[in-house]
Amino acid sequence: KSFNFFHNLMGKYGLLKKYDNHLDIGGAEGFIGFLCIKNQIVNNSKSIDPLHVEESSLKRELIYYFFVLKNIITKVISKQRFIGKNGFVIKSDIFNNLKLFPRFKSIRISKENVFNLKEKYDLITSIGSLEYFKPEEILEKIYKLLNSQGICYINVSYAWFLMFFKKKQDLGNIASLL
């Protein structure tokens, strides 16, 4: 679901173009980077997470193909599966349009500290992990890691998290980082 939100939002604003270097902060097993590669959004992806992750590219591939095949079968069996909670058709969702034979390219999984990174990135994503950082520090670091035309996508668990962490007069400084 997180990748679907990301894909829909990026598509809505015309940002689904080809990015060269991608960084996923707090990416655990690297599924966001993996799906970005499979859908040809990025050429190279690096997923960093300080926690030890049992990373297996074979397992990731098997999960992907199981999901794609299940979608194909349910499309044939049930036309109703496209109808959402309130009767809206959701045929455009990326999970209904995943490729059966996408290109195979691995991603890099790392336990590096984000604050030690020096590389520049065209796309930086962080899904559900920003609340583990001090907001001013991580947003400043993300800004430094982005290329001049880079895009940053942040999805936080709590809608209020970035809005209420500091006094009102300091919000302008943080907003200018984005």
Side-chain angles (χ1 to χ4, degrees), residues 57-120:
S57 57
L58 178 62
K59 183 178 178 182
R60 200 179 301 118
E61 290 285 334
L62 289 173
I63 291 170
Y64 177 82
Y65 284 111
F66 176 77
F67 186 82
V68 171
L69 289 172
K70 181 181 164 190
N71 267 358
I72 290 170
I73 291 167
T74 58
K75 272 188 216 181
V76 173
I77 292 173
S78 173
K79 302 291 183 200
Q80 294 294 315
R81 84 176 199 67
F82 284 119
I83 297 178
K85 187 175 180 181
N86 298 314
F88 298 108
V89 177
I90 51 172
K91 287 185 180 182
S92 64
D93 283 353
I94 187 62
F95 291 129
N96 294 317
N97 299 304
L98 290 172
K99 296 178 174 121
L100 185 56
F101 298 108
R103 69 184 180 146
F104 180 81
K105 190 172 184 181
S106 64
I107 65 169
R108 294 175 289 156
I109 305 290
S110 173
K111 288 178 69 171
E112 288 178 75
N113 184 335
V114 69
F115 295 102
N116 295 336
L117 295 176
K118 302 281 187 243
E119 264 183 271
K120 292 286 189 175

Side-chain angles (χ1 to χ4, degrees), residues 2-11 36 41 123 125 127 153:
S2 296
F3 183 75
N4 192 46
F5 292 141
F6 162 77
H7 193 273
N8 286 344
L9 188 68
M10 296 286 281
C36 282
I41 298 169
L123 175 64
T125 55
I127 298 174
Y153 173 84

Side-chain angles (χ1 to χ4, degrees), residues 8-88:
N8 286 344
L9 188 68
M10 296 286 281
K12 179 180 178 180
Y13 291 102
L15 300 171
L16 281 178
K17 60 179 187 164
K18 188 68 151 213
Y19 297 96
D20 192 38
N21 287 322
H22 168 238
L23 174 67
D24 189 23
I25 300 171
E29 295 91 358
F31 278 103
I32 297 296
F34 174 80
L35 289 169
C36 282
I37 286 174
K38 290 294 184 191
N39 288 282
Q40 299 179 348
I41 298 169
V42 301
N43 285 327
N44 304 296
S45 183
K46 181 178 192 175
S47 178
I48 60 170
D49 199 305
L51 302 176
H52 175 70
V53 176
E54 292 291 330
E55 194 263 332
S56 167
S57 57
L58 178 62
K59 183 178 178 182
R60 200 179 301 118
E61 290 285 334
L62 289 173
I63 291 170
Y64 177 82
Y65 284 111
F66 176 77
F67 186 82
V68 171
L69 289 172
K70 181 181 164 190
N71 267 358
I72 290 170
I73 291 167
T74 58
K75 272 188 216 181
V76 173
I77 292 173
S78 173
K79 302 291 183 200
Q80 294 294 315
R81 84 176 199 67
F82 284 119
I83 297 178
K85 187 175 180 181
N86 298 314
F88 298 108

